Structures are given as C-alpha cells and as structure tokens.
Amino acid sequence: MLFSAPPNDVEALVFGLQMTVVRLSPPDKTGAREAWFEYHCMECGGYQITIPDDPTDASPVTCTACGRLFGTFGAVKALGRNLARAASVRG
C-alpha cells in the first residue's frame, strides 16, 4: 500500500516514512497555509530526509541516517499536501 493514514488524519506513512503535521500557519489573504512536518524513518528511527537539489517529482527521497528509499518527491509532496489539508479542516 502506498499510503496509510491513522484515524487522526495528521500523520501517515509512505514507504516507511512517517510524516506528522506539527504546525500550520494562519491562512494568508488567499486562504493558503504553510505546514511544518516531523519525519520519522520506520526502519532506523531517523528524523531527517534527504531530497536532491532542484528536485523533480521523480527525484528520490531517502532517510539521511540509513539511506532507506521512501519513494519519490512527488509522492511525499502529495502526502504532505493531503495531511496539511486534513489538519487544516480539523482546525
């Protein structure tokens, strides 16, 4: 399974990467919000991800500590957007 989300809708897993929304900015004039995430590698417990400079949606996202491949930047980005949207709806 590519994505799995627990009941609270603010964290999810993508290929062994747990992402949790830890903060949302207030909405700007257009209603857009910024989100900050906490990352956790389910293999080694690492908390940092590595993304290449100037990534494309096909670029790999890996654990900085152990090198585990979590998937593509596009998949991680999409998951982040979905989590931020769900957290925004929750308040």
Side-chain angles (χ1 to χ4, degrees):
M1 179 186 303
L2 179 59
F3 302 120
S4 65
N8 68 13
D9 290 331
V10 295
E11 67 179 20
L13 299 175
V14 56
F15 296 122
L17 171 66
Q18 180 180 13
M19 291 178 62
T20 306
V21 176
V22 294
R23 183 173 158 219
L24 286 171
S25 71
D28 66 15
K29 292 178 184 179
T30 68
R33 301 177 86 169
E34 287 187 74
W36 288 263
F37 298 93
E38 183 175 276
Y39 304 100
H40 179 82
C41 176
M42 302 306 289
E43 187 161 319
C44 76
Y47 58 90
Q48 293 180 327
I49 60 174
T50 299
I51 301 168
D53 292 336
D54 300 318
T56 67
D57 282 349
S59 296
V61 177
T62 59
C63 175
T64 302
C66 73
R68 178 182 175 137
L69 176 64
F70 296 127
T72 65
F73 181 61
V76 172
K77 187 170 56 172
L79 178 60
R81 284 187 184 134
N82 289 337
L83 289 173
R85 190 174 299 119
S88 180
V89 169
R90 289 180 63 121

